[in-house]
C-alpha cells in the first residue's frame, strides 16, 4: 500500500507546500493527540492523588528512579559506570545511546538537569508516537480507528511508563513512523528511522525486521513503483544502528560477544523463554492468583496476535509485532518488565480499536475513560509496591 505520487513542486513552492501539508496532517491528528493527552493526564491525576496520601513524590518515580537514573548518568558522564548490586555487576553499556544523547542535547539548550531533560524527551516523543500510531491506523482504516487506537495505547496497564523518563515512547515514535514510511513507500525515511530505533533499544531489531520484510514485499510485488535501488538502500542501512551499538560494545569489551556479555552480567539474555516458563510455573505454585493472571495475559496476547493475522494487517506490521513479542518473552530475567517491553506493539490493539470505533461514541468514550482510570490505578500501585517496571 502506498500513496500516489504527485508531480514534484517547484523549488520556490516546496517549503511552503511542505509546511501546508504538515499543518494539515497535524490538524487531522489533533483529536488523537488530545485524546492521548487526556488519557495520560487522567493517569497522572490518579497517581498524584494516591501518592499524596502515601506521602510520596510522583516526580521521584517519573524521572529519578531505576532506568531513568542510568540514562541521566550516561547523558552527563558518558559510558563507563558499573554498579554492583544483588550479587551482580551492572554496567551502563546495557543501555542504548540515543535517549541519553537527546537528554544531553536538551540540557545544552534548556536550563534543566539531565533528569528533567529525560521527561521533556519522553513526553515529546509520546506525542510523536501518538501521531505516528494515528497515521498508521488511519492509513489502514479510518480516522476514528486511529483516534481510538491512540487512546487505547495511552490506557494499557503499563502506560504509566509513557510518562516516565524511559525509552518506550521514543522507540514507539520511531517505530510507528518507520512503519508508516514502509507502508507508504518512503524508503529513505524507513531506513533512517530504523537506524534510529536500533540506537534506542535492543528491540530495534523489530523495526529492522519490518523494513526488511516490507522491502522484500516491495521488490517482489512492486506495489509503489519505488526505484529498486532506493528499496535496497533502505534494507541495507536499516540494521546499522543496532549493529553499530552492539559492535561498539564489542569493541569496548574486546570481545565479539561483548553486548551479550553485558546482558548476562545483568542476569538477562535470551534462552528461548525457558526462564520465563519457569517463572510462570513457579508463580502458579507460590501465588496461584498472580500465576493465573499471567496465563490470562499470555492467552490474551495470543488471541490478539491471531486477530491481527485474521485482520490481514500488512506483513511489515505483522513482522514488527511478532518480533517484538518474541524478544519481550524469551529473555532470561526481569520478568516484571515484560508488559513494558510489549507496550510498543501498538498494532496488537488494532482489532479492539476497529471494534470500539464501530460502537456509539458514548460507549467508546466510556470504555476509554474506564481504561484510563484503571491504567492510572494499576500504574500507581505498581510503582509504589512492585518495584522497577
Amino acid at each position: 500500500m502506498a500513496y500516489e505520487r504527485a508531480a514534484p513542486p517547484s523549488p520556490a513552492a516546496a517549503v511552503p507546500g511542505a509546511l501546508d501539508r504538515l499543518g494539515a496532517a497535524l490538524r487531522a491528528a489533533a483529536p488523537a493527540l488530545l485524546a492521548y493527552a487526556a488519557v495520560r493526564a487522567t493517569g497522572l491525576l490518579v497517581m498524584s492523588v494516591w501518592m499524596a496520601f502515601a506521602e510520596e513524590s510522583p516526580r521521584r518515580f517519573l524521572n529519578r528512579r531505576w532506568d531513568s537514573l542510568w540514562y541521566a548518568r550516561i547523558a552527563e558522564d558518558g559510558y563507563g559506570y558499573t554498579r554492583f548490586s544483588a550479587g551482580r555487576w551492572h554496567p551502563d553499556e546495557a543501555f542504548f545511546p540515543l535517549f541519553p544523547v537527546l537528554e544531553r542535547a536538551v540540557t545544552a539548550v534548556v536550563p534543566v538537569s539531565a533528569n528533567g531533560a529525560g521527561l521533556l524527551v519522553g513526553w515529546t516523543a509520546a506525542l510523536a508516537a501518538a501521531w505516528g500510531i494515528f497515521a498508521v491506523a488511519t492509513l489502514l482504516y479510518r480516522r476514528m480507528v486511529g483516534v481510538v487506537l491512540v487512546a487505547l495505547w495511552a490506557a494499557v496497564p503499563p502506560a504509566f511508563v509513557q510518562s516516565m523518563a524511559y525509552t518506550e515512547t521514543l522507540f514507539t515514535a520511531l517505530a510507528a513512523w518507520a512503519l508508516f514510511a514502509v507502508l507508504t513507500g518512503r524508503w529513505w525515511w524507513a531506513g533512517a528511522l530504523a537506524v534510529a530505533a536500533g540506537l534506542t533499544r535492543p528491540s530495534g531489531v523489530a523495526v529492522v525486521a519490518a523494513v526488511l520484510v516490507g522491502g522484500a514485499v516491495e521488490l517482489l510485488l512492486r506495489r509503489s513503483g519505488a526505484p529498486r535501488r532506493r528499496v535496497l538502500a533502505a534494507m541495507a542501512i536499516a540494521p546499522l544502528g543496532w549493529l553499530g551499538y552492539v559492535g561498539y560494545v564489542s569493541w569496548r569489551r574486546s570481545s565479539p560477544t561483548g553486548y551479550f556479555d553485558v546482558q548476562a552480567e545483568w542476569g538477562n539474555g535470551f534462552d528461548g523463554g525457558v526462564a520465563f516458563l519457569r517463572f510462570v510455573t513457579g508463580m502458579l505454585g507460590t501465588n496461584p492468583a498472580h500465576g493465573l493472571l499471567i496465563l490470562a495475559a499470555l492467552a490474551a496476547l495470543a488471541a490478539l496476535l491471531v486477530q491481527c493475522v485474521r485482520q490481514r494487517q500488512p506483513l511489515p506490521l505483522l513482522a514488527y509485532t511478532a518480533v517484538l513479542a518474541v524478544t519481550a518473552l524469551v529473555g532470561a530475567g526481569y520478568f516484571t518488565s515484560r508488559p513494558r517491553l510489549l507496550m510498543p506493539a501498538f498494532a496488537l490493539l488494532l482489532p479492539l480499536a476497529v471494534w470500539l470505533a464501530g460502537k456509539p461514541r458514548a460507549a467508546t468514550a466510556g470504555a476509554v475513560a474506564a481504561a484510563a482510570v484503571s491504567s492510572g490505578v494499576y500504574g500507581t500501585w505498581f510503582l509504589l509496591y512492585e518495584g522497577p517496571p
Side-chain angles (χ1 to χ4, degrees):
M1 184 182 297
Y3 289 141
E4 293 184 2
R5 295 218 177 7
S10 66
V15 172
L19 292 176
D20 288 342
R21 289 192 296 273
L22 179 63
L26 184 56
R27 287 190 295 273
L33 298 181
L34 291 172
Y36 179 83
V39 172
R40 293 305 319 129
T42 300
L44 288 174
L45 178 61
V46 171
M47 181 183 296
S48 299
V49 172
W50 189 340
M51 287 193 175
F53 281 101
E55 297 184 350
E56 283 284 1
S57 167
R59 183 180 177 187
R60 187 170 72 90
F61 286 91
L62 294 180
N63 71 340
R64 297 180 184 275
R65 295 289 299 274
W66 306 308
D67 288 7
S68 60
L69 292 178
W70 287 90
Y71 287 117
R73 184 184 294 274
I74 295 169
E76 292 171 340
D77 303 321
Y79 285 100
Y81 176 76
T82 299
R83 180 168 62 90
F84 187 78
S85 175
R88 289 195 180 98
W89 290 102
H90 297 81
D92 60 8
E93 295 156 322
F95 299 92
F96 277 52
L98 185 57
F99 193 83
V101 165
L102 293 176
E103 285 182 317
R104 189 177 183 89
V106 169
T107 61
V109 295
V110 180
V112 294
S113 66
N115 300 93
L119 282 183
L120 289 176
V121 172
W123 291 358
T124 303
L127 291 174
W131 192 355
I133 292 169
F134 171 80
V136 171
T138 302
L139 179 71
L140 299 178
Y141 298 98
R142 55 194 177 92
R143 287 184 62 199
M144 187 59 185
V145 173
V147 174
V148 174
L149 179 62
V150 166
L152 290 176
W153 184 70
V156 293
F160 62 93
V161 178
Q162 297 173 20
S163 299
M164 298 173 68
Y166 270 49
T167 59
E168 270 65 31
T169 55
L170 177 62
F171 176 76
T172 305
L174 294 169
W177 285 109
L179 287 163
F180 181 80
V182 168
L183 297 174
T184 57
R186 292 166 165 84
W187 293 103
W188 287 118
W189 277 109
L193 290 166
V195 170
L199 290 169
T200 304
R201 295 190 55 79
S203 49
V205 293
V207 185
V208 174
V211 175
L212 295 180
V213 169
V217 170
E218 173 65 23
L219 292 174
L220 287 172
L221 302 181
R222 307 299 295 163
R223 287 182 173 176
S224 72
R228 182 184 181 90
R229 65 182 182 278
R230 193 175 298 171
V231 180
L232 290 172
M235 296 172 71
I237 67 174
L240 296 184
W242 190 90
L243 291 175
Y245 182 68
V246 170
Y248 167 73
V249 176
S250 296
W251 171 78
R252 282 178 61 96
R253 292 261 171 157
S254 301
S255 167
T257 60
Y259 178 74
F260 304 99
D261 296 339
V262 166
Q263 289 291 338
E265 291 177 30
W266 277 78
N268 209 345
F270 299 95
D271 64 357
V274 174
F276 184 56
L277 179 62
R278 289 175 180 166
F279 168 75
V280 175
T281 54
M283 189 62 68
L284 286 170
T286 59
N287 189 343
H290 196 176
L292 290 173
L293 182 62
I294 295 173
L295 289 179
L298 291 173
L301 172 63
L304 287 172
L305 282 169
V306 170
Q307 287 301 314
C308 289
V309 175
R310 294 183 62 185
Q311 209 176 28
R312 296 188 178 181
Q313 293 181 11
L315 283 178
L317 196 56
L318 290 174
Y320 168 75
T321 303
V323 173
L324 202 58
V326 169
T327 57
L329 295 177
V330 301
Y334 296 92
F335 302 114
T336 57
S337 297
R338 302 310 164 88
R340 169 173 67 87
L341 300 180
L342 277 168
M343 188 171 56
F346 60 87
L348 285 171
L349 300 171
L350 259 173
L352 184 56
V354 171
W355 179 74
L356 273 177
K359 300 298 178 182
R361 293 289 178 90
T364 302
V368 169
V373 173
S374 300
S375 177
V377 171
Y378 172 83
T380 309
W381 168 81
F382 194 100
L383 290 175
L384 286 175
Y385 304 114
E386 284 295 303

